[in-house]
């Protein structure tokens, strides 16, 4: 198939305009992925002189024998299955409330969205202060006559403390997306439902929720990806240890610990990273299948 000189010139101009973007993607996305693949098949020593020793699939096989990897995966799994549904439902509730035309709606939008604008590190430090033994959380629980907790040092509640913090911080982001989708739903659909005798609850469940299914699917997928990658809050909360008693140890934090320790486990950390990527991909595909937006071929 022959191309005219004009077509070749236009194609060349197009690739020239895309060259900066392609260069950035190649240098900062593709090359790191390829290098991580290379590392995952080697034992890497970075301190005292860099060395690489090919070990094949032993780094991947080693994951099944690593009890800390099992703990990190279980903590991350608990975090995902609790945080993602709650933050999605809370975001939908907040969006539906704002979309109802309540008084001072614009101010409430700003107030609700403020947690999303706060730096993750700063937010963690603020909540650590609130989780202190004499902090706001315990004072509020004591005022209500409820038991108080050692949020920072009790393994049974440490991960829950991070969950509460992240739900409060991330739900407003998805709330804005839901709010935009709610305002695009035609009023004629609600009017038709009213003619059929539907009340507010029936209209919400049979009109609003089905029409928001693509947005809900997006929120869940983004929530799954984000929660599986939990790192900074757990790192700051535990001082990088994943404590107390590994209760806040997540997969990404474990990868960080292995990658930058003195035992030369960068290759093993890369293998863990690919294991996490596979889990995220699998969870995303399952969610897409359950939402019936795609079919597997």
């Amino acid at each position: 198939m022959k191309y005219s000189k004009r077509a070749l010139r236009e194609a060349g101009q197009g690739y020239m305009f895309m060259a900066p973007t392609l260069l950035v993607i190649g240098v900062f996305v593709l090359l790191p992925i390829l290098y991580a693949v290379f590392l995952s098949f080697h034992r890497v020593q970075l301190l005292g002189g860099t060395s690489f020793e090919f070990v094949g699939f032993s780094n991947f096989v080693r994951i099944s024998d690593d009890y800390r990897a099992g703990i990190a995966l279980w903590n991350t799994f608990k975090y995902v299955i609790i945080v993602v549904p709650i933050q999605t439902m809370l975001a939908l509730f907040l969006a539906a409330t704002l979309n109802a035309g309540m008084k001072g709606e614009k101010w409430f939008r700003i107030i609700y969205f403020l947690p999303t604008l706060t730096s993750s590190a700063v937010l963690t430090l603020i909540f650590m202060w609130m989780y202190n033994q004499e902090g706001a959380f315990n004072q509020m629980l004591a005022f209500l006559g409820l038991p108080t907790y050692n949020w920072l040092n009790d393994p049974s509640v440490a991960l829950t403390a991070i969950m509460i913090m992240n739900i409060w911080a991330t739900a407003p982001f998805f709330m804005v997306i839901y709010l935009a989708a709610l305002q695009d739903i035609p009023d004629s659909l609600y009017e038709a439902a009213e003619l059929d005798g539907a009340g507010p609850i029936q209209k919400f469940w049979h009109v609003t929720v089905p029409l928001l299914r693509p947005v809900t699917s997006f929120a869940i997928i983004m929530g799954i990806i984000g929660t599986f990658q939990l790192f900074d809050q757990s790192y700051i909360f535990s001082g990088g240890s994943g404590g107390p008693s590994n209760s806040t140890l997540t997969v990404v934090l474990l990868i960080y610990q292995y990658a930058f320790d003195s035992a030369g486990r960068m290759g093993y950390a890369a293998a863990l990273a690919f294991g996490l990527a596979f889990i995220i991909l699998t969870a995303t595909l399952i969610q897409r299948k359950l939402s019936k937006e795609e079919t597997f071929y």
Side-chain angles (χ1 to χ4, degrees):
M1 182 177 181
K2 295 183 179 180
Y3 295 94
S4 65
K5 291 183 179 180
R6 180 179 178 181
L8 293 174
R9 184 172 62 253
E10 291 178 351
Q13 290 174 346
Y15 282 111
M16 182 178 66
F17 284 119
M18 289 191 299
T21 301
L22 294 176
L23 179 63
V24 171
I25 292 175
V27 172
F28 295 104
V29 178
L30 296 180
L31 284 181
I33 291 175
L34 294 176
Y35 189 58
V37 172
F38 170 80
L39 291 177
S40 65
F41 290 100
H42 291 77
R43 180 179 292 111
V44 184
Q45 179 64 46
L46 296 179
L47 301 177
T50 304
S51 63
F52 302 92
E53 178 186 352
F54 181 77
V55 293
F57 287 94
S58 63
N59 283 330
F60 294 92
V61 175
R62 181 181 167 188
I63 296 176
S64 60
D65 297 326
D66 187 351
Y67 82 98
R68 295 192 76 227
I71 294 174
L73 181 60
W74 174 242
N75 288 340
T76 306
F77 177 73
K78 287 193 298 183
Y79 181 84
V80 172
I81 62 174
I82 294 175
V83 171
V84 173
I86 294 178
Q87 74 179 13
T88 303
M89 290 187 292
L90 179 59
L92 178 56
F93 172 77
L94 294 176
T97 302
L98 292 176
N99 194 57
M102 58 186 297
K103 188 176 181 180
E105 174 186 339
K106 294 182 179 179
W107 288 106
F108 279 108
R109 288 188 191 182
I110 297 174
I111 294 172
Y112 288 165
F113 194 69
L114 282 177
T116 304
L117 302 177
T118 308
S119 167
S120 178
V122 174
L123 182 67
T124 304
L125 293 175
I126 293 173
F127 266 79
M128 287 180 67
W129 171 73
M130 295 174 64
Y131 283 138
N132 196 284
Q133 286 279 53
E134 303 298 329
F137 271 84
N138 278 342
Q139 289 185 11
M140 181 177 63
L141 292 174
F143 177 78
L144 297 174
L146 299 174
T148 59
Y149 299 95
N150 187 356
W151 298 93
L152 299 176
N153 297 311
D154 188 347
S156 63
V157 297
L159 186 62
T160 303
I162 298 179
M163 291 179 185
I164 295 172
M165 176 180 62
N166 278 278
I167 291 171
W168 182 81
T170 55
F173 170 77
F174 298 109
M175 175 202 71
V176 174
I177 300 174
Y178 270 123
L179 185 59
L182 283 170
Q183 293 177 348
D184 283 340
I185 298 178
D187 292 335
S188 58
L189 297 179
Y190 294 111
E191 294 171 358
E194 286 182 2
L195 292 176
D196 290 335
I201 297 178
Q202 288 80 10
K203 286 191 292 183
F204 179 78
W205 283 110
H206 298 288
V207 178
T208 305
V209 173
L211 290 176
L212 291 178
R213 191 168 66 179
V215 180
T216 302
S217 177
F218 171 80
I220 292 175
I221 290 174
M222 295 302 295
I224 289 173
I225 295 173
T227 49
F228 265 115
Q229 295 177 339
L230 174 67
F231 168 73
D232 48 352
Q233 296 95 336
S234 180
Y235 179 89
I236 298 172
F237 197 90
S238 65
S241 66
S245 301
N246 291 325
S247 59
T248 61
L249 182 66
T250 62
V251 176
V252 179
L253 178 57
L254 183 66
I255 292 171
Y256 172 84
Q257 292 178 350
Y258 282 146
F260 298 103
D261 65 6
S262 60
R265 292 182 284 192
M266 178 69 77
Y268 178 57
L272 276 173
F274 276 103
L276 177 61
F278 176 77
I279 292 173
I280 294 175
L281 177 62
T282 302
T284 302
L285 292 177
I286 291 174
Q287 195 283 327
R288 296 295 294 269
K289 177 65 176 180
L290 293 176
S291 66
K292 300 180 180 180
E293 290 189 14
E294 286 188 355
T295 56
F296 294 126
Y297 296 96

